[in-house]
Amino acid sequence: MNFENKIINGDCIEEMKRFPAGSVDLAFADPPYNLEKDYGIYEDSNSANDYINWTEKWLIEVIRLLKPEGSFYILNLPKWTLHHAVFLDQLLYRQNTIAWDALSIPRGKIMPAHYSLLYYTKSHHKYTFNKFTTKHNWTHCARGKCIKARKTSSLIEQPFSDIWTNVYRIKHRGKRHAHHPTQLPLTFMERIILTSSNEGDIVFDPFLGVGTTAIVAKLLNRKYLGIEINPEYVQESLRNLDQVLSFRSRLEFQQTRLMDLKNFL
Ligand SMILES: C[S@@+](CC[C@H](N)C(=O)[O-])C[C@H]1O[C@@H](n2cnc3c(N)ncnc32)[C@H](O)[C@@H]1O
């Protein structure tokens, strides 16, 4: 079966079973967080036990699809990634636990202000890792020596750390698909795809939403495979991918950073 550059409408557990083991170089999963979000078809409110059991079912399939040198990232609320880590640590090698600083509206108590991104590889030592750099703005030390160092270091590109502060959520409705509550920013996926895949690799997302992973994979000359249960979101992904094609031919994306695309998609 040809599964390159495909977006499939269906349930990811069922659909993944149709693909041979060891098919994808990089998998990224941004599942529903059990937060009662309105995804149209999927019911995002389950008991904790049901949610965890369901998660383990699809995780097993994702691991099966990964190539021996493949990488896997999973984004969720910290309370769920604790469960994911206990499960996944038995099957894969955890490389990092990343905190994505995505500040929300103050809600009293201790405000939840980060998402957790787990980064795993199937092999302990053999996997793709391309150094990706960003500009840091360190502000956590007031010693004169550190302030001086900051003045120079904040201007130069450095490898990123496991705290991601300079990737911004798409909060304004006007900037995202009208009926999708949790669309990710392109720059978030850019970082993951550049770090853990090479041109020509297959990038897989079992919860594709409105296509962020596929769009960025396409822009970066990777192949994509995505599954999404809601047909409306699948149509939106296909529309976005069409636009990416015309954007590429007009502006030669190779020389452009994704930031410039923000207003285009
Ligand atoms: C958190 S959203 C992903 C958003 C995506 N990262 C984006 O940027 O558009 C989770 C998605 O999973 C989809 N979904 C829920 N259950 C699914 C299932 N069993 N199989 C495939 N997709 C599913 C939902 O419809 C929703 O679009």
Side-chain angles (χ1 to χ4, degrees):
M1 189 197 330
N2 180 9
F3 52 87
E4 293 176 4
N5 295 332
K6 284 252 156 40
I7 295 183
I8 297 163
N9 181 208
D11 171 68
C12 65
I13 298 177
E14 295 313 313
E15 295 299 330
M16 280 191 277
K17 287 184 180 148
R18 297 169 51 213
F19 295 109
S23 313
V24 305
D25 299 278
L26 167 63
F28 167 78
D30 175 27
Y33 302 163
N34 211 25
L35 276 180
E36 301 179 12
K37 294 273 181 195
D38 180 7
Y39 291 116
I41 290 181
Y42 171 81
E43 207 44 68
D44 191 31
S45 65
N46 295 287
S47 71
N49 265 349
D50 285 354
Y51 183 72
I52 291 163
N53 289 339
W54 171 72
T55 300
E56 292 180 359
K57 280 190 194 134
W58 65 257
L59 282 174
I60 285 290
E61 290 304 321
V62 171
I63 293 168
R64 191 184 66 80
L65 290 195
L66 269 190
K67 288 184 184 174
E69 294 170 14
S71 304
F72 174 46
Y73 291 72
I74 175 169
L75 179 69
N76 209 326
L77 305 177
K79 86 171 195 184
W80 297 127
T81 49
L82 291 174
H83 290 281
H84 301 337
V86 169
F87 183 71
L88 288 171
D89 283 358
Q90 303 169 69
L91 303 164
L92 299 172
Y93 294 93
R94 178 144 45 112
Q95 300 295 343
N96 286 96
T97 304
I98 297 160
W100 177 25
D101 175 354
L103 198 62
S104 207
I105 306 159
R107 286 180 205 277
K109 298 184 188 162
I110 294 178
M111 184 167 61
H114 78 280
Y115 293 86
S116 181
L117 178 69
L118 301 176
Y119 162 33
Y120 284 91
T121 55
K122 206 164 194 176
S123 153
H124 197 183
H125 299 296
K126 264 189 119 187
Y127 54 88
T128 297
F129 186 84
N130 303 313
K131 261 198 190 145
F132 182 85
T133 57
T134 81
K135 285 197 173 107
H136 289 301
N137 185 14
W138 305 114
T139 53
H140 52 269
C141 182
R143 275 189 310 177
K145 200 172 145 205
C146 291
I147 291 172
K148 202 171 157 203
R150 262 199 320 265
K151 279 190 181 139
T152 33
S153 68
S154 64
L155 299 176
I156 51 168
E157 297 260 337
Q158 302 168 6
F160 61 70
S161 78
D162 60 4
I163 302 181
W164 293 7
T165 51
N166 48 358
V167 184
Y168 305 104
R169 284 171 61 199
I170 313 176
K171 287 196 178 171
H172 299 286
R173 279 172 188 269
K175 293 271 180 205
R176 56 173 156 88
H177 181 252
H179 304 295
H180 201 290
T182 59
Q183 182 183 348
L184 287 175
L186 297 172
T187 43
F188 183 84
M189 289 315 303
E190 176 193 38
R191 194 174 275 209
I192 292 171
I193 292 175
L194 283 178
T195 300
S196 292
S197 70
N198 295 310
E199 290 199 3
D201 281 357
I202 301 185
V203 180
F204 169 59
D205 187 334
F207 300 97
L208 190 66
V210 284
T212 316
T213 304
I215 291 160
V216 179
K218 174 104 209 156
L219 288 166
L220 297 172
N221 291 325
R222 274 69 169 169
K223 294 167 188 141
Y224 55 84
L225 170 65
I227 305 172
E228 168 56 53
I229 204 163
N230 186 326
E232 191 195 336
Y233 300 157
V234 170
Q235 288 312 313
E236 180 66 16
S237 298
L238 294 171
R239 270 195 295 275
N240 283 337
L241 280 160
D242 271 355
Q243 284 183 301
V244 167
L245 284 178
S246 58
F247 178 84
R248 279 186 60 124
S249 53
R250 275 187 288 140
L251 292 178
E252 290 174 355
F253 173 73
Q254 305 282 13
Q255 288 145 32
T256 319
R257 290 299 295 253
L258 281 177
M259 280 296 193
D260 304 327
L261 268 173
K262 266 192 177 154
N263 294 325
F264 179 77
L265 289 171

